[in-house]
Amino acid sequence: MQPKKMLGLSTLALLVTFPLTTLAPKAHGAEIEEIIVTARKRVEPLQDVPIAIQALDAAKIERYNADNLSEIADMANNVEISGGTNGAGGSFIIRGLGSNPGDSGISASVATNIDGVQSERGFIARSAFFDLNSVQFLKGPQALFFGKNSAAGVVGVESANPTEEFETKVQVGYEPEADERIFEGMVSGPLTDTLGARLAVRYTDIGGWIDNNAGFVENSNGQAIPSMNVLGFWPASESYYDLPGAGKDIGAITALSGRLTLEWRPVDNFRARAKFYVTDEESDGLVAGEFANCTDRSNPRVAPIARPILADPFHDCKLDNKTSQGALPPEVVAGWNNNQNGELGDGFFSNYEAQIYTLDMEYTLEWGSLSSLTGWMAYDFDGWDNFGGLQYPFFVGFNPDDHEQFSQELRVATELESPFNYMLGFYYESFDRRHENSSKLGLFGRDPTRGFTNDQHVIQDTDGDSWSVFGQVIWDISDQWELAAGARYLEDEKHGSQHHQYVHPFLLIIGWFPEGVDLDADTSDTDFSPEVTLTWRPNDDITVWGAWKNGYKASGYSAPTVLTRTFGPENITFGEEDAHGFEVGVKSTLLDGRLRLNVTAYDYDFEDLQVSQFRPETTTFVIGNAASAYTRGIEFDAAFQATDNLQLYAEGGFNKAKNDKYPNVACYAFQPRVAGECEDPDRDGRFFQDLSGQTLSNAPKFTGSLGFEWTQPLGDRWVGILAGEGLYTDSYATAGNGEPLARQPSFWRLRARVGLQSADGKYDFAIIGNNLTDEIWPIGGARPGAITPSDQGGGGSRPRSYLFQATYRL
């Protein structure tokens, strides 16, 4: 970062806050509740932490019934999280930096840390998150305290712990628009003098909210028959007659989750805490499969391999929670090469099961503490879906993804009275993952020899080990100044292997990888990530800091859906991703604790950015180190206790996230061949463009929100509660390939809560309205249509909803 830019951002941050410290009059009344975080692996108030962090406590998370990471992230500024049903399983983006989840081999640039267990997998976004202490969004590189793969940030989730007194909670809710039913229960308290326990469960049953407009056309005799049969693409014995869900809502989800926490304190200076979390979610497939924009504005086009382009007469080509999902004939489903046990049915589905177990032990001594954190995480995902998103099911796939991971961290930290304190730790992680893709890519007919109806079945296995040592020295220069310096040294190794279990004979002729032949590759790298933070605390209410940080994401093994002979060990792997840069910030608590104002300015560069890029010629995503990028901006968040009954809050930011260098990007479909814009530099038949200097996808320049919560006693027994929030998102690109159709205009959305609570807190009745403006925006960005690659499809947000909720606490 240029010194002048750094000075300008620093000055702006300071000018925003310091006039308030000198001019603000003394005030009296209720203070804003303090939020406790663990961003530096120790318990401390949010306002004292010299890190760019936005923390949401349990009260705000529950205010609008957020129970998954996507909904919780919507409460934070410049953060987007979405779950998926293929590839890496989800998208995590902070300040415009994240990883396209289209390839299952890519790791998230934004890591997730759940009760100390680090995750790099996007599928974790499908888990239910409830009964929480807080969710903390650490923005920018976070290599020192959080293992690996945290080049762009960390989402830290802390669940609630056992209480000293007996507590219980029962909550029920109903949302009529999607026919959603919710039940949540919790019981917590001591089992013995030394052992406490907490059990929490949540059940959700959603009927669906997406209109399926798939329909029938008439033949020459006026008889209603499926339109696929009109085209005559299937033999009469395999007539396309099945349109499950036509005329009814889709998007059904049933999920059951539970967490048991045990905390043992046999002596005053030792604590062992074990958490056991399990979840089971079932849905009816790609619940957000629709098209947002199309080459032909009237409706999307479908271009199956070796067939003419066709139009779907039932899709409106808008992102409006209306789609036209068709299904395969049962005869075709039965002929899948790996469906001998009948696991696949005529209706699409996804099943997700996950377990997260942690054992956190801490031994406190006079000079500091010794800590051990053991974690185990596993999930099993099965997805059977029409990835084309139209009633013509030309692109259908079965995509199981199984992942298992073990981690162990040991840490020692001092709390000496001397000016110097230290932290030293060791981290180890291993994983094993299998991803499969059994799919239909076009209309090639049955395998003439074996009779299989799908076109390919690829199996991808990846395993790896990583270990690192990390440490930090904190020097209290004076009562007001603190200097902290630390680093993490890491070694990471991975092995990948993939092969075709089955390939249609026609695909072998045109260049698919042969059956039974393993494509093996290994990656190995080391990384040293230092960081330095200088903090000034002129008084108990002000924290000013400046930091220089590094981030890192490990190299890996790509797992493209389409495996052709063009792949080999040299181009199936990709190298590590690195980040470095500066941030400065001011955290202030003013007006006798009634005003909290925080401002952060940042400038980070990302080198060898791991990019999952769609290749139209193979209809698949491939990962490579193809770009460098930067993100610069300024953010603020404020909360003001205006009166004892009224709290106001606001947050916002300006973010400039662009590709620095990004040459040789595959042209989007139908892109004009213009010199310097879409040309073939290597004369190999493929056309490329240069997107250097272009804004990153999912990176709006301006974002922000304004909200309030007002409480009013209603006699001696009841309290009325009214809360509302408006959120603004600037326009942004939804895909990273320069496609002009992949664009989301700027928009506002509103949410509100009206409640009645008993004065003793036992009873709480509320109506919660989300997305009251009924604005539908893409979740996770648009993806190129598996149909015509320039048609932009993907998932839309949930429409306007009203949840009726009742809660009992004891």
Side-chain angles (χ1 to χ4, degrees):
M1 182 179 191
Q2 298 178 4
K4 289 184 178 179
K5 291 181 179 178
M6 186 68 176
L7 179 60
L9 291 175
S10 304
T11 303
L12 178 59
L14 293 173
L15 289 176
V16 168
T17 300
F18 276 107
L20 295 172
T21 67
T22 57
L23 300 177
K26 292 291 183 179
H28 301 281
E31 297 182 3
I32 297 176
E33 187 173 348
E34 188 174 61
I35 299 177
I36 302 299
V37 297
T38 54
R40 296 195 294 176
K41 291 295 180 77
R42 57 177 182 258
V43 178
E44 52 192 339
L46 170 67
Q47 294 301 94
D48 292 345
V49 182
I51 291 178
I53 176 175
Q54 188 171 0
L56 306 177
D57 60 11
K60 184 166 185 179
I61 294 171
E62 295 175 1
R63 182 180 297 161
Y64 298 109
N65 190 53
D67 70 340
N68 59 68
L69 286 181
S70 179
E71 294 176 351
I72 295 172
D74 195 44
M75 299 181 179
N77 193 51
N78 240 334
V79 180
E80 180 184 324
I81 298 176
S82 62
T85 61
N86 67 329
S91 176
F92 290 70
I93 300 170
I94 293 181
R95 295 172 177 167
L97 268 299
S99 303
N100 187 317
D103 188 309
S104 68
I106 201 164
S107 300
S109 295
V110 177
T112 308
N113 192 279
I114 303 169
D115 289 322
V117 176
Q118 192 91 341
S119 173
E120 62 182 40
R121 303 301 295 164
F123 279 107
I124 200 69
R126 300 182 69 91
S127 299
F129 290 93
F130 60 99
D131 193 42
L132 304 177
N133 272 339
S134 68
V135 175
Q136 304 166 30
F137 298 94
L138 285 71
K139 302 179 180 181
Q142 307 291 333
L144 178 56
F145 295 102
F146 293 94
K148 60 171 189 171
N149 294 336
S150 52
V154 169
V155 179
V157 179
E158 291 188 0
S159 60
N161 295 316
T163 52
E164 295 182 358
E165 302 293 334
F166 177 79
E167 294 182 8
T168 188
K169 169 186 171 182
V170 177
Q171 185 176 84
V172 294
Y174 178 70
E175 199 285 309
E177 196 69 24
D179 192 23
E180 178 180 12
R181 297 167 174 83
I182 300 172
F183 169 83
E184 184 174 327
M186 180 275 295
V187 59
S188 176
L191 299 180
T192 69
D193 292 341
T194 61
L195 180 64
R198 186 182 188 101
L199 176 64
V201 296
R202 184 176 176 95
Y203 173 78
T204 303
D205 184 16
I206 303 176
W209 66 86
I210 303 172
D211 294 331
N212 188 7
N213 295 324
F216 296 81
V217 297
E218 295 181 352
N219 62 14
S220 57
N221 297 323
Q223 297 172 322
I225 57 175
S227 51
M228 280 288 292
N229 202 30
V230 172
L231 301 172
F233 284 163
W234 295 106
S237 61
E238 298 173 0
S239 60
Y240 185 83
Y241 62 84
D242 197 13
L243 289 174
K248 82 175 188 68
D249 290 343
I250 61 175
I253 299 174
T254 302
L256 177 62
S257 304
R259 182 190 303 108
L260 173 64
T261 303
L262 299 174
E263 186 169 288
W264 184 45
R265 294 181 179 269
V267 291
D268 292 341
N269 63 341
F270 176 78
R271 182 262 300 155
R273 181 185 297 140
K275 291 179 179 284
F276 307 90
Y277 170 82
V278 295
T279 187
D280 187 340
E281 179 199 87
E282 298 181 1
S283 74
D284 57 3
L286 187 61
V287 298
E290 59 174 313
F291 278 72
N293 219 329
C294 304
T295 310
D296 183 341
R297 303 276 179 170
S298 62
N299 56 34
R301 282 346 198 199
V302 57
I305 298 175
R307 291 290 180 178
I309 293 179
L310 305 169
D312 183 343
F314 301 103
H315 203 296
D316 60 6
C317 199
K318 297 177 182 178
L319 194 65
D320 55 4
N321 283 319
K322 295 179 181 179
T323 187
S324 57
Q325 289 277 6
L328 289 171
E331 300 93 337
V332 176
V333 175
W336 232 250
N337 79 295
N338 60 337
N339 191 29
Q340 305 310 308
N341 59 359
E343 181 178 359
L344 306 180
D346 56 357
F348 299 119
F349 65 85
S350 69
N351 297 328
Y352 173 76
E353 298 177 3
Q355 305 87 39
I356 302 174
Y357 305 150
T358 64
L359 177 60
D360 183 4
M361 297 184 291
E362 184 176 53
Y363 184 40
T364 305
L365 302 168
E366 292 183 0
W367 51 266
S369 63
L370 301 171
S371 302
S372 170
L373 181 59
T374 307
W376 184 80
M377 181 186 78
Y379 67 77
D380 182 353
F381 174 82
D382 293 324
W384 166 241
D385 230 320
N386 173 5
F387 289 96
L390 301 178
Q391 81 164 31
Y392 305 111
F394 296 135
F395 294 88
V396 176
F398 180 52
N399 295 278
D401 193 286
D402 300 331
H403 178 90
E404 186 172 331
Q405 170 188 318
F406 169 81
S407 62
Q408 175 64 56
E409 182 179 272
L410 300 173
R411 189 172 67 254
V412 56
T414 66
E415 295 182 8
L416 304 173
E417 295 182 0
S418 69
F420 293 94
N421 275 284
Y422 312 90
M423 183 269 293
L424 183 64
F426 169 81
Y427 179 80
Y428 171 77
E429 177 183 307
S430 65
F431 78 93
D432 193 342
R433 179 171 64 251
R434 166 165 286 199
H435 179 84
E436 299 183 48
N437 176 264
S438 177
S439 57
K440 189 162 193 61
L441 304 173
L443 297 172
F444 305 118
R446 285 183 180 268
D447 185 316
T449 303
R450 289 170 284 187
F452 295 142
T453 54
N454 60 313
D455 299 326
Q456 67 166 22
H457 180 190
V458 61
I459 298 177
Q460 301 140 344
D461 292 296
T462 311
D463 59 81
D465 293 275
S466 174
W467 67 269
S468 60
V469 291
F470 56 96
Q472 185 186 48
V473 179
I474 299 178
W475 177 24
D476 291 326
I477 303 172
S478 68
D479 291 340
Q480 295 184 344
W481 291 90
E482 174 190 282
L483 179 65
R488 179 182 291 266
Y489 173 79
L490 180 145
E491 292 190 4
D492 183 273
E493 294 184 353
K494 290 188 179 74
H495 171 74
S497 177
Q498 51 189 309
H499 67 274
H500 273 126
Q501 186 82 3
Y502 164 72
V503 185
H504 192 284
F506 178 77
L507 296 179
L508 290 174
I509 295 174
I510 64 175
W512 255 239
F513 214 76
E515 294 181 18
V517 178
D518 292 330
L519 176 55
D520 296 319
D522 298 285
T523 63
S524 178
D525 51 57
T526 61
D527 183 78
F528 180 76
S529 298
E531 71 173 55
V532 179
T533 303
L534 180 63
T535 306
W536 177 43
R537 297 185 178 92
N539 54 55
D540 293 339
D541 297 326
I542 303 293
T543 299
V544 184
W545 87 92
W548 178 73
K549 292 186 174 184
N550 279 258
Y552 160 83
K553 184 166 73 162
S555 58
Y557 181 79
S558 187
T561 301
V562 175
L563 188 62
T564 67
R565 290 192 182 98
T566 59
F567 289 110
E570 70 285 347
N571 64 358
I572 202 72
T573 59
F574 51 92
E576 67 179 70
E577 175 181 307
D578 293 287
H580 59 272
F582 300 85
E583 65 183 42
V584 294
V586 181
K587 295 185 177 182
S588 60
T589 304
L590 310 170
L591 301 177
D592 284 355
R594 300 182 66 164
L595 173 64
R596 185 173 64 223
L597 175 62
N598 302 327
V599 182
T600 303
Y602 54 90
D603 188 322
Y604 285 106
D605 294 308
F606 294 77
E607 304 293 338
D608 298 318
L609 204 65
Q610 296 172 4
V611 178
S612 180
Q613 189 180 123
F614 184 76
R615 297 284 186 175
E617 71 277 8
T618 63
T619 68
T620 190
F621 288 86
V622 180
I623 307 172
N625 297 93
S628 60
Y630 65 84
T631 177
R632 297 167 184 160
I634 186 167
E635 299 172 330
F636 81 92
D637 65 87
F640 176 46
Q641 193 70 39
T643 69
D644 290 351
N645 304 98
L646 176 63
Q647 184 178 114
L648 307 174
Y649 53 92
E651 59 188 45
F654 166 81
N655 182 53
K656 186 177 181 181
K658 289 190 174 185
N659 293 310
D660 189 13
K661 295 180 181 179
Y662 194 12
N664 300 328
V665 182
C667 296
Y668 57 86
F670 311 127
Q671 183 172 354
R673 287 5 177 191
V674 179
E677 293 185 11
C678 183
E679 54 188 354
D680 179 8
D682 300 322
R683 304 299 175 188
D684 58 0
R686 294 186 299 173
F687 291 88
F688 295 88
Q689 58 181 321
D690 188 344
L691 295 183
S692 301
Q694 298 295 310
T695 300
L696 299 178
S697 62
N698 299 292
K701 187 172 290 186
F702 296 98
T703 56
S705 66
L706 296 168
F708 72 93
E709 184 176 37
W710 176 64
T711 60
Q712 178 62 49
L714 303 175
D716 297 331
R717 300 180 59 185
W718 296 96
V719 177
I721 301 174
L722 177 63
E725 188 171 45
L727 303 94
Y728 173 77
T729 302
D730 204 2
S731 62
Y732 60 92
T734 57
N737 63 351
E739 165 62 66
L741 294 178
R743 192 82 191 169
Q744 167 63 38
S746 60
F747 62 98
W748 278 91
R749 56 196 188 278
L750 299 173
R751 53 185 170 227
R753 177 187 179 107
V754 179
L756 181 65
Q757 186 179 87
S758 61
D760 58 8
K762 286 185 177 181
Y763 301 96
D764 192 336
F765 305 96
I767 302 175
I768 302 171
N770 278 301
N771 192 15
L772 296 177
T773 52
D774 205 24
E775 181 73 38
I776 310 300
W777 67 95
I779 298 296
R783 59 172 172 81
I787 333 255
T788 304
S790 67
D791 288 354
Q792 297 300 307
S797 62
R798 189 165 168 174
R800 181 190 296 117
S801 65
Y802 300 95
L803 176 69
F804 298 88
Q805 186 181 85
T807 307
Y808 172 76
R809 295 181 177 89
L810 178 62

